[in-house]
Amino acid sequence: MPARFIFLLVFLLLFMVVPSAVDLLTEWFWFGEVAYTDIFIRTLTAKATVGGLVFLVAFGVLAANFRLALGRVTKPYLLFPGGGDIQPITLERTQLKMLGTGVAALAALFLGLFASNEWLTWLRFQHATPFGQIDPLFGRDVGFYVFTLPFLDFARYLMLAVAVLSLIGSTAAYVISGTLALDPARGPVVGDGARRHLGLVIAVLFLLLAWGAYLDVPRILTTPAGIIHGASYVDVALRIPVLRGLVFVALVGSVLSLVTAMTARNIPLFVAVGLYVLVTVGGNLGSVAMQRLIVTPDEQQREAPYITRNIEATRQAFGLEIVDARELSGDATLTAADIDNNMETINNVRLWDHEPLLDTFGQLQEIRTYYDFVSVDNDRYLIDGEYRQIMLSSRELNSDSLPNRSWVNERLQYTHGFGVALGPVNQVTQEGLPVLFIKDLPPTSTVDLPVDEPSVYFGELTNGYVIVNTDTDEFHYPEGDDNVSTRYDGAGGVALSSLMRQLLFAVHFRDYEILVASQLGDDSRILYHRNVVDRVTTIAPFLQYDDDPYLVISEGRLVWMLDAYTLSNRYPYASPASNGINYIRNAVKIVVDAYDGTTTFYLADAEEPIARTLQAIFPGFLQPLDDMPDDLRAHIRYPEGLFSLQTDIYSTYHMTNPEVFYNREDEWEVPVIDNEQMQPYYTIMRLPGESRAEFIQMLPFTPRGKNNLAAWMVARSDGDQYGKLLVFQFPKQKVIFGPSQIVARINQDQEISPQITLWNQQGSEVIQGTLLVIPIEEALLYVRPLYLRASGGRIPELKFVIVAYQNQIVMEATLDLALNRLFGSAGSPGSLPADTILAAAELPPADAGATTAAAAGTTGNPLVVEASEHYRRALSAQRQGNWAEYGDEIEQLGAVLERLGGGQE
């Protein structure tokens, strides 16, 4: 027996305790490296405190109850009758008490482990910050529902679990002792000691039931109730009084249980249970009857006050009470002058979709098979003095794609990605490929946006650990037939300065090479938690993170920016979103350096109560947003995840009239195109009534079940306007074409549809890009890029742009040409429609493969040849974004056409 016990102890030590201790120690090293040791200690201390307290209390109560009940055992208990050569197994009272103590310890251990996971609930209760908003029914601060009520529920559930386990265990012990039995003739036979003990435990259970009913009263404000979330008419009129009555009944039941404990009568206990069940069932049946007989016949009027509360609370909880709703006339007509006055908007129309651009980056800029572009990010930069929207993607190293996946290659040599691909959203080359401002290896920039440190040690694809500063040179980037090497010069990583540390990390990563590798030295450092989302989640698991980290070039360095949310599902009267939450704020912004992994959390909303509570729990964790460098603050953007959630809620909760809300008379929905719901998108545009263009995020709405446009919503991101929400609504009596109607008209267009069909039949794959809604003044343009992918090819090329305005749809090689066709001249020869230019020059439509010489061969008129040259040069300059050259060529083309029209040679 001792040998088996020792073996079991060694087994548990080697395979459970040691790995956990190693993981804990390596995490301690890592938190020290990232300078967030205080969070690690605070979290560990809170877990140990909560778990330890619950274990001690639960163990004390359970052991006392079990030992008290087992003390009634007067003779050995036959555990196993035996048979054959096996002797019977009996347990004496002392052994039974030891067994009961062991069971109590095991149950308490499980309760303690469960409780330790609720460490944040305890800390948030301790450091709760008032919201400053009062619920309309009970007058409690919202902080009670978000911070206090969850902790009280947690405490009550633990107490209830201990009481139920005590009752079950004690009952079993009394059965073993024979003090509690069921006599067929006399019914239940209960000894005096068992009666007193079990009666007291049941009395405690009734007290906990009374406490639960008391907490259920405010909880009604956080639960669904028919057509709304929160207390409804039936809740206020009947359910809340019933719950208060249930508190009284449970208290009476506790007293009756005490009477049963002190007397020889069982009737009081049965009365207590019967009263509790009667009130509970009667209350439920009465609520159903009231709903059907009183509320449903006049539901709109009876629920109106509660609908109003639900609307107000939901708008507050999702930050929608600040939405600035503006009306549009729906009668505005665009002219060429309007287009010219909104060139900042036109010049930043996003013609490159994420997927085609990612495919193009992958084919043209990955350079080597082990590089990957994971995602494309939208941002804005001041480039050569012009405010422009760009799309960029980091070139990350994918170790899974290495030709030789040895440990040295994966962990010591190929350690990091390198550089970015960056270009404007609206420019293409003559071949239909994206214009790139930053490209190649090493990165070269054609604009005033340098990348001085292009190494990407921390990114979206960096999931494994690497070791730097070893005797193995790190691969930096390929150069011709050779490779350029480097050594890590950053402060990131944990030092592998001793054999003991190497052993610890070898155990932690289950990788023995860390221990035996000869390339490691005293200066070697191990980098882990390199995925930026995993990195911030490990530091602060109590925040919810946006799914889309984005890359920023700041003062020559690559930096990741992430958005974090504070949220709750307990905001009173607020309806939840589809993910179950009913309160959210983008309270935190995070910056992670792609080279050394430096991670900084900034408090973006200094008044947000949950963030202030976290700041009280973890002092110094959140830095003031004013401390963020100005160059980085210029790249803060409104998060897409939050905006998507808000638009989903606002599609219903823009209705503030309870009658309209009840009947869903004006409910909106996000348009569906090609069987997919439209997603919010970033763009630079000048909003109606504003003086300058700005970086925004927008999404249109249509009336539910209809296809015409109802409104469009905007989230602003620049400067002092950051975080402001606007909605531009069209008159309900006006029919404005919606996105799905425009797509249907494009697919039915007699010129465009046959051409798309022809391309598909010729083997090319036609990719229709995202339909963009582009507000200009108070009118709308719809823009949809068209990509072609050659048969067997992998590179999509932007070949045409479809533009729709009111009843007109055109398709041209460029957005500029399409707008010229739609709106004609704005007073300069350069604004002539493309078909007019080509007809005058007697030239066929422009083709990327055509040459001036070939075109010149179609006519002997030298003016036509000259016009052809100017036109093609202008088209080339426009695709490359060289607007000065474009203007010059168009001006010269206009002069030639005037001479051509006048018969001059």
Side-chain angles (χ1 to χ4, degrees), residues 24 52 75 99 119 153 156 246 292 330 362 573 576 618 634 677 689 877:
L24 191 66
K75 57 183 180 180
L99 179 62
W119 61 274
D153 282 338
R156 189 183 75 88
L246 201 58
R292 292 184 178 180
Y573 267 115
F618 306 105
Q677 192 176 66

Side-chain angles (χ1 to χ4, degrees), residues 19 95 133 137 145 182 191 355 412 439 454 468 492 541 548 570 647 660 714 783 840 884:
Q95 292 174 315
Q133 298 166 359
L137 187 59
Y145 299 91
L182 182 63
E355 291 303 322
L412 308 184
K439 59 182 178 179
V468 296
D548 185 26
R570 291 174 175 265
T647 53
V660 175
V714 164
V783 177

Side-chain angles (χ1 to χ4, degrees), residues 87-154:
Q87 297 295 320
I89 300 176
T90 59
L91 295 176
E92 299 291 339
R93 181 168 62 183
T94 304
Q95 292 174 315
L96 284 172
K97 284 187 175 182
M98 289 180 60
L99 179 62
T101 303
V103 171
L106 187 62
L109 179 62
F110 280 110
L111 290 174
L113 291 174
F114 165 77
S116 67
N117 293 324
E118 297 296 323
W119 61 274
L120 187 60
T121 302
W122 178 56
L123 289 178
R124 296 202 332 172
F125 167 72
Q126 281 189 311
H127 300 275
T129 301
F131 273 65
Q133 298 166 359
I134 306 300
D135 84 73
L137 187 59
F138 302 119
R140 287 190 171 101
D141 186 88
V142 171
F144 169 82
Y145 299 91
V146 175
F147 302 123
T148 304
L149 187 57
F151 175 75
L152 296 179
D153 282 338
F154 162 65

Side-chain angles (χ1 to χ4, degrees), residues 700-875:
F701 293 110
T702 59
R704 182 168 295 278
K706 297 184 179 179
N707 294 323
N708 58 289
L709 200 66
W712 47 280
M713 191 172 185
V714 164
R716 308 171 83 169
S717 292
D718 284 353
D720 294 337
Q721 303 296 333
Y722 176 84
K724 294 183 178 179
L725 302 175
L726 290 84
V727 168
F728 295 87
Q729 297 179 236
F730 292 100
K732 295 179 177 59
Q733 65 272 20
K734 299 284 184 180
V735 177
I736 309 296
F737 286 129
S740 60
Q741 292 172 320
I742 294 296
V743 169
R745 294 184 59 219
I746 290 173
N747 293 336
Q748 296 168 5
D749 187 86
Q750 295 182 357
E751 295 182 5
I752 298 174
S753 181
Q755 185 63 63
I756 293 175
T757 302
L758 179 61
W759 285 323
N760 281 320
Q761 290 175 346
Q762 290 175 344
S764 296
E765 179 189 1
V766 179
I767 304 172
Q768 297 193 45
T770 300
L771 182 72
L772 303 174
V773 184
I774 309 297
I776 304 288
E777 301 298 340
E778 291 198 6
L780 293 175
L781 289 176
Y782 286 95
V783 177
R784 189 170 207 182
L786 210 62
Y787 312 92
L788 295 183
R789 196 196 316 258
S791 178
R794 298 182 62 184
I795 303 178
E797 299 175 0
L798 176 57
K799 288 300 185 182
F800 296 95
V801 179
I802 301 172
V803 179
Y805 170 66
Q806 293 183 349
N807 293 318
Q808 305 174 70
I809 299 177
V810 299
M811 182 174 71
E812 283 290 343
T814 68
L815 175 62
D816 211 47
L817 293 175
L819 293 175
N820 279 336
R821 277 190 62 186
L822 283 172
F823 300 105
S825 174
S828 69
S831 296
L832 288 173
D835 52 358
T836 304
I837 295 173
L838 296 175
E842 301 178 11
L843 293 174
D847 181 79
T851 64
T852 303
T858 63
T859 177
N861 191 332
L863 288 179
V864 172
V865 176
E866 186 178 354
S868 169
E869 285 289 348
H870 288 308
Y871 169 68
R872 297 190 188 282
R873 288 175 186 168
L875 189 60

Side-chain angles (χ1 to χ4, degrees), residues 26 51 309 328 474 498 540 631 659-660 737 803 806 836 849 896 898:
T26 53
R309 293 174 181 178
L328 298 175
E474 291 182 56
S498 66
D631 190 51
E659 181 179 349
V660 175
F737 286 129
V803 179
Q806 293 183 349
T836 304
V896 172
E898 288 180 357

Side-chain angles (χ1 to χ4, degrees), residues 232-241 286-288 290-291 295 303:
S232 64
Y233 179 89
V234 172
D235 292 324
V236 174
L238 184 60
R239 286 198 180 100
I240 290 176
S287 298
V288 172
M290 176 175 282
Q291 178 68 39
V295 176
E303 299 287 12

Side-chain angles (χ1 to χ4, degrees), residues 49 107 228 260 324 336 374 424 430 462 500 502 513 521 551 667 680 689 855:
T49 301
I228 63 168
T260 298
D324 181 5
V374 180
Q430 287 188 342
T462 49
M500 179 56 69
Q502 289 179 235
E513 286 93 341
L551 193 67
E667 193 168 11

Side-chain angles (χ1 to χ4, degrees), residues 53-95:
L53 285 174
V54 169
F55 170 78
L56 290 175
V57 172
F59 173 69
V61 173
L62 291 175
N65 278 281
F66 294 170
R67 292 178 68 88
L68 177 62
L70 290 169
R72 297 290 177 177
V73 176
T74 58
K75 57 183 180 180
Y77 177 70
L78 183 62
L79 185 65
F80 180 70
D85 296 332
I86 301 176
Q87 297 295 320
I89 300 176
T90 59
L91 295 176
E92 299 291 339
R93 181 168 62 183
T94 304
Q95 292 174 315

